[in-house]
Amino acid sequence: MQIEVSRDVFRLAQVFTISRGSRTEANVLTARISDGAHHGWGECVPYARYDETLASVEAEIAGLPDVLSRYSLMDLLPAGAARNAVDCALWDLEAKRAGKRAWELAELAAPGPEITAYTLSLDTPEAMRAQAAENAFRPLLKIKLGTPDDMPRLEAVRAGAPKSKIIIDANEGWSAEVYAELAPHLVRLGVALVEQPLPAGEDDALIGLERPVPVCADESCHDRASLPALKGKYDVVNIKLDKTGGLTEALELRKAALAEGYGIMVGCMVGSSLAMAPATLVAQGAMVTDLDGPLLLAEDRDTPLIFDETGVHPPKAALWG
């Protein structure tokens, strides 16, 4: 079995800003696996927040043995971007070998479209209102916040898109005091979900704190091993394949989280349709789907995912799985 890794760059349609910084392009790694007759591929986005770089993830993949399966991979690499790219490539390879779709191999029902959030970049209130007005036709908007001065931004977005459902991603940028102060206004403005309001290492402060709007664990939840530490703090978990280390663990995390009573959000890094494709299987019936990465790009893979008024559609076989 031969594994190759390449670096790919996709230009963004506009500058994308969160509380940690801005970017104008998506830098991804593409893993390609061949058994000589069939080929599979997968994509990951190394994330500095988790001490990942393009070089470090490339090195992890380069160190894998020639004989490999999705099951042995779980023991060879930790949850993270490297394992994600390889795991998804193995799913794609298995599907091509079997002449079946990936969801059939996973014994899942045939997937359908899911309404996805569309992310508004962090900016001035005036700019965010303009972003919201431009996208007010979308049923679900996600707002990047995470500063001490977020209230005017939230008010501006609601004014710009009065009918859209709104969720918030604070990217660990608030304190417990800021969250408690904002909470009544979140209810007033019809916010449906707050994602990772506090830093992952400081989220014990959520225990006993009133949560009038569901709170979702993102940076605090990576894989099934994360679940015990979430009790009493969160209502929803955000499953991202770059955190779980691929589709295999993502499906298991989904099953375990549902069994423990958590709502499911399926999210993404800023990547191409290839990165989103496996996640569409995890997103089926999720409380929130946030797979808008391709909508933020100025360019995408061949045979990209279809986005329309019914949501993000599962991939065609020519793309993945």
Side-chain angles (χ1 to χ4, degrees):
M1 189 176 290
Q2 184 177 2
I3 305 176
E4 298 179 350
V5 184
S6 63
R7 299 187 183 190
D8 294 303
V9 180
F10 296 92
R11 292 179 296 107
L12 300 189
Q14 59 188 27
V15 178
F16 184 74
T17 302
I18 66 173
S19 59
R20 298 191 187 100
S22 301
R23 69 179 77 175
T24 58
E25 58 188 24
N27 291 275
V28 310
L29 288 178
T30 306
R32 293 175 173 84
I33 301 181
S34 172
D35 64 2
H38 302 92
H39 306 265
W41 66 341
E43 177 183 313
C44 71
V45 182
Y47 198 38
R49 169 65 179 80
Y50 306 132
D51 299 318
E52 295 174 334
T53 65
L54 291 168
S56 71
V57 172
E58 281 178 319
E60 284 186 277
I61 297 174
L64 290 171
D66 293 336
V67 179
L68 194 62
S69 72
R70 288 191 291 108
Y71 307 102
S72 64
L73 180 64
M74 299 284 281
D75 296 322
L76 292 169
L77 289 179
R83 197 175 80 190
N84 177 32
V86 177
D87 179 77
C88 291
L90 287 169
W91 274 100
D92 190 35
L93 178 63
E94 288 177 35
K96 289 182 169 65
R97 279 173 168 171
K100 295 183 177 181
R101 299 308 308 270
W103 56 81
E104 295 179 275
L105 299 181
E107 299 182 347
L108 300 173
E114 291 284 337
I115 293 295
T116 182
Y118 180 82
T119 303
L120 304 184
S121 187
L122 181 68
D123 209 323
T124 64
E126 294 76 20
M128 291 187 76
R129 176 170 181 160
Q131 286 186 65
E134 183 179 347
N135 291 281
F137 67 94
R138 301 184 189 275
L140 179 59
L141 296 178
K142 175 174 170 175
I143 314 173
K144 287 291 188 178
L145 297 178
T147 77
D149 306 310
D150 281 336
M151 198 61 226
R153 294 184 173 96
L154 179 56
E155 296 272 13
V157 169
R158 176 46 82 201
K163 295 182 180 180
S164 298
K165 186 177 179 181
I166 290 176
I167 59 176
I168 288 173
D169 185 2
N171 278 119
E172 303 181 278
W174 293 345
S175 65
E177 292 73 23
V178 169
Y179 169 74
E181 180 180 335
L182 290 177
H185 299 287
L186 303 181
V187 175
R188 175 175 60 84
L189 293 170
V191 172
L193 182 82
V194 178
E195 197 179 340
Q196 199 69 40
L198 310 187
E202 301 172 18
D203 61 359
D204 281 353
L206 290 171
I207 297 175
L209 202 64
E210 185 178 358
R211 300 194 299 271
V213 172
V215 176
C216 178
D218 182 3
E219 285 84 354
S220 290
C221 182
H222 290 247
D223 54 14
R224 282 171 289 174
S226 304
L227 290 177
L230 305 182
K231 290 182 179 178
K233 306 176 189 178
Y234 297 98
D235 311 291
V236 182
V237 297
N238 188 347
I239 301 175
K240 293 179 180 175
L241 273 64
D242 275 315
K243 294 188 302 175
T244 65
L247 177 61
T248 302
E249 175 62 20
L251 291 172
E252 293 299 323
L253 173 57
R254 185 183 189 278
K255 186 187 306 180
L258 286 171
E260 294 192 21
Y262 292 101
I264 301 297
M265 176 177 182
V266 177
C268 65
M269 307 302 185
V270 181
S272 79
S273 283
L274 178 59
M276 308 301 125
T280 62
L281 307 191
V282 190
Q284 297 300 298
M287 176 180 173
V288 175
T289 295
D290 179 25
L291 297 177
D292 65 340
L295 296 177
L296 305 177
L297 302 180
E299 53 193 351
D300 199 356
R301 304 280 184 178
D302 293 337
T303 320
L305 291 177
I306 293 172
F307 292 81
D308 61 23
E309 66 278 0
T310 63
V312 54
H313 290 251
K316 295 180 179 179
L319 175 64
W320 180 88

